[in-house]
Amino acid sequence: GIMSGRALEAANILSLNGVEAGVIHMPTIKPLDEYAITAASSCRLIVTIEEHSKAGGLGSAVTEFLVDADLLRETGVLRLGLEDVFPTNYGSQDDMLECFALQPSSIAEQVSKRLEQEDKGEHHG
């Protein structure tokens, strides 16, 4: 989908900053690709990115799977998506993604910030 391309661009930005990131395209929530999530759980941080509300979307499904499989302690999860608010600005799709910090540079920035928090032991849960 539209976010896969942005995720690849964000991964490229992160790699320029010394952060190794892979991208898994997940076209459906049902069925959920449990094999891919299990494989990704060996990573330090799983980031879900969706042009959808964070509540009840891909990030929620991935987190629920990790909890049920008792894998959440092994990895962190950062869910990026639309906040559960009525948008106050209207414009193009790119404008809306910018508003919700879902453009490649913003995604990379949020991932870097979260990894720094993890390094400092500041993030809990």
Side-chain angles (χ1 to χ4, degrees), residues 8-122:
L8 287 169
E9 289 181 49
N12 287 335
I13 293 168
L14 288 164
S15 72
L16 294 174
N17 294 316
V19 176
E20 184 180 339
V23 174
I24 299 171
H25 175 68
M26 309 246 342
T28 63
I29 295 176
K30 286 187 177 183
L32 189 63
D33 190 343
E34 295 177 354
Y35 177 81
I37 298 167
T38 300
S41 71
S42 64
C43 297
R44 193 170 150 201
L45 180 66
I46 293 176
V47 180
T48 61
I49 308 167
E50 56 193 311
E51 186 188 23
H52 180 277
S53 173
K54 288 193 288 186
L58 176 64
S60 294
V62 168
T63 303
E64 288 174 10
F65 172 77
L66 291 168
V67 167
D68 291 346
D70 198 28
L71 295 171
L72 194 57
R73 293 176 298 181
E74 307 300 321
T75 187
V77 177
L78 174 60
R79 298 181 309 141
L80 303 178
L82 305 180
E83 297 298 330
D84 192 18
V85 296
F86 191 81
T88 56
N89 298 319
Y90 294 92
S92 69
Q93 185 178 35
D94 275 334
D95 291 338
M96 292 304 294
L97 293 175
E98 184 73 33
C99 178
F100 287 99
L102 293 173
Q103 294 289 11
S105 59
S106 298
I107 293 167
E109 183 179 323
Q110 292 175 82
V111 171
S112 293
K113 182 178 177 183
R114 175 64 178 271
L115 290 171
E116 288 172 15
Q117 290 174 334
E118 295 280 340
D119 286 344
K120 295 177 184 175
E122 294 175 0

